[in-house]
Amino acid sequence: HNTSRGPGKGGVRFHQDVQPDAAELDKHVTDGVRPALSMLGKMLEACAWDKASIAEAIKEVLRATGLKMPQLAMPVRVL
């Protein structure tokens, strides 16, 4: 007997749009980190989508902005 459940039968889609929590956005996505987030977004659009390339993009943003990992990671997590 088939126990799989498709989207029309109570199943959940694999990909769903995520809406960040407004309080978390206000807390973590500050004016001081917005330029770094913009830079990271542009770098991620242009880099290969693998662990090493993504890690290098993050490191480059940290070097360029002088931010520490938690200062960038928390806003990225919220977005």
Side-chain angles (χ1 to χ4, degrees), residues 2 4 6 11 13 22 25 28 38 43 46-48 50 54 56-57 61 69-70 79:
N2 186 352
S4 67
R13 292 185 343 203
L25 282 173
H28 296 292
S38 177
M43 293 183 79
C47 81
D50 60 63
I54 293 168
E56 187 54 40
V61 170
M69 180 57 110
L79 296 174

Side-chain angles (χ1 to χ4, degrees), residues 28-49:
H28 296 292
V29 183
T30 63
D31 289 341
V33 78
R34 287 183 200 281
L37 292 172
S38 177
M39 179 186 296
L40 180 60
K42 290 174 186 169
M43 293 183 79
L44 291 175
E45 285 178 1
C47 81
W49 205 243

